[in-house]
Amino acid sequence: MHALAASKLKGPSSAETRLADKHVNLSNALVNAAQALNLSEKRVMCAAVAKLDSMKGDGGYREGLVKLTAAEYAETFGVDPNTAYEQLKGAADNLFQRYIRIVEETRKGPKEIKFRWVSRAEYFPGEGTVALRFTPDVAPHLVKLERQFTSYKLAQASALRSLYSWRLLELLTQYESTGWRQIDVEDLHHTMETPESYRKNFKDLRRWIIEPAVKELTEKDGWIIAWEPVKAGRKVSAVKFVFRRDPQGKLL
C-alpha cells in the first residue's frame, strides 16, 4: 500500500536546506570498514547521517531518533514518489541485520570488531516517515568529529547507481587534500566487500569494480581519476589512485 500519494509529497521549503546539500560526516575508521550495506541501505544510512548536524533541539531529533521522509528521499535520490516510502521502510527493516566490521592492527595481530548500525526504527505510514536510532557503538563515528574524519555532500553520491562507486568516493575523499592514495588490494577487498571470486583474480576486481566506479565518478560527480596497479613481484599488491575534482565538472 502506498503511504502517500505523489500529490501529498512536499519537499523542503525555501528556508530549509535540501537534504542533498547537507554533509555526510564519517570517521575514517568507518570509511575504511566493511559496512555491509547494499545501495538502498547506504542511501538511507547516509541520508540519516546527513541530518544529524541539523537534528538538534526540536529540529526533528526526538529521543535520539533521526527522521527521514519519503518526500526528501524521493527528491534526493530521484526515486518515484509513489514508491519512496516502501523503499525507505524496506531499507530500514534490513538495517537491523547489518553490522559494521572494523579490523585493527595490534601488537598481537589483527583484531576484528563488529557492531550494528541501528538499535531502533519507528514507522509512520500515514506521514510517509521512518525514524532511526543509531547504536551507541556507531554514534562516536558520526557525531562530534574533530579529527580523522571524512566529509562530503550527500548530493555528490545521490546520483550514483553503484555501491562500489559510492565507496570509492569515500575512500578518495578521505585523501582529497593529498590528491593521491595507495590502497593495498586486501584492504580494498575488505572495504568494498568484494565477492570471493574477485579476490582470486585482479582482472575481475579491475573489470567489475575499479573501472566502472572510476567511470561513474567521472561522469556523475566531476572527478578526474588516474589509477594503476602496484606490483610486488608478479602479483598486484596495491592500487594507486591520483585524483582531483574537475573544476569544469559538476557544480554542487
Side-chain angles (χ1 to χ4, degrees):
M1 179 180 67
H2 298 318
L4 290 177
S7 61
K8 292 184 179 181
L9 288 175
K10 297 180 180 180
S13 69
S14 59
E16 297 175 330
T17 301
R18 291 188 317 147
L19 177 59
D21 291 329
K22 297 180 185 293
H23 281 81
V24 177
N25 300 315
L26 307 171
S27 74
N28 289 342
L30 192 55
V31 167
N32 296 328
Q35 298 181 359
L37 302 174
N38 63 29
L39 182 61
S40 62
E41 294 156 6
K42 180 70 172 174
R43 286 174 169 177
V44 171
M45 288 308 307
C46 285
V49 171
K51 298 192 78 172
L52 283 176
D53 284 341
S54 60
M55 291 288 153
K56 298 175 182 177
D58 59 357
Y61 188 77
R62 183 174 61 81
E63 297 178 353
L65 292 169
V66 179
K67 280 192 173 184
L68 293 172
T69 70
E72 60 192 356
Y73 182 82
E75 178 191 45
T76 302
F77 299 108
V79 173
D80 181 356
N82 288 308
T83 61
Y85 178 74
E86 283 80 359
Q87 292 186 33
L88 189 59
K89 181 180 182 299
D93 286 342
N94 293 338
L95 285 169
F96 281 103
Q97 307 303 320
R98 305 295 185 237
Y99 59 84
I100 299 151
R101 186 163 58 92
I102 294 176
V103 177
E104 296 180 352
E105 292 297 329
T106 71
R107 288 183 296 177
K108 296 183 178 180
K111 176 178 72 172
E112 185 175 88
I113 305 168
K114 294 181 179 180
F115 49 91
R116 295 192 181 276
W117 284 98
V118 299
S119 61
R120 181 186 180 96
E122 295 184 2
Y123 306 95
F124 306 85
E127 301 175 13
T129 300
V130 169
L132 298 171
R133 176 182 290 160
F134 291 106
T135 64
D137 287 309
V138 77
H141 295 276
L142 305 175
V143 296
K144 297 182 180 179
L145 299 172
E146 297 180 355
R147 58 188 181 89
Q148 296 186 343
F149 71 96
T150 300
S151 181
Y152 59 92
K153 276 189 179 182
L154 185 59
Q156 291 180 238
S158 61
L160 300 178
R161 295 295 179 264
S162 166
L163 179 64
Y164 295 133
S165 302
W166 197 324
R167 298 295 279 123
L168 183 60
L169 181 150
E170 292 178 342
L171 291 172
L172 299 188
T173 300
Q174 185 179 351
Y175 279 70
E176 191 168 7
S177 62
T178 69
W180 71 278
R181 179 172 190 176
Q182 184 165 306
I183 309 174
D184 288 348
V185 167
E186 290 304 314
D187 291 338
L188 189 59
H189 282 302
H190 170 77
T191 301
M192 293 290 190
E193 298 171 279
T194 57
E196 188 63 33
S197 60
Y198 293 9
R199 303 182 182 219
K200 300 176 182 178
N201 191 335
F202 180 79
K203 291 182 179 179
D204 288 335
L205 178 66
R206 180 184 65 197
R207 179 181 180 185
W208 300 112
I209 295 181
I210 298 175
E211 290 178 345
V214 167
K215 184 174 185 289
E216 188 169 33
L217 289 181
T218 299
E219 294 175 348
K220 295 182 178 178
D221 192 36
W223 290 80
I224 297 175
I225 304 171
W227 71 275
E228 62 180 4
V230 178
K231 290 187 175 182
R234 299 177 63 181
K235 183 179 180 181
V236 176
S237 61
V239 179
K240 182 178 180 179
F241 296 91
V242 178
F243 53 88
R244 62 185 174 91
R245 298 297 298 279
D246 185 353
Q248 301 301 319
K250 185 177 179 181
L251 297 178
L252 299 175

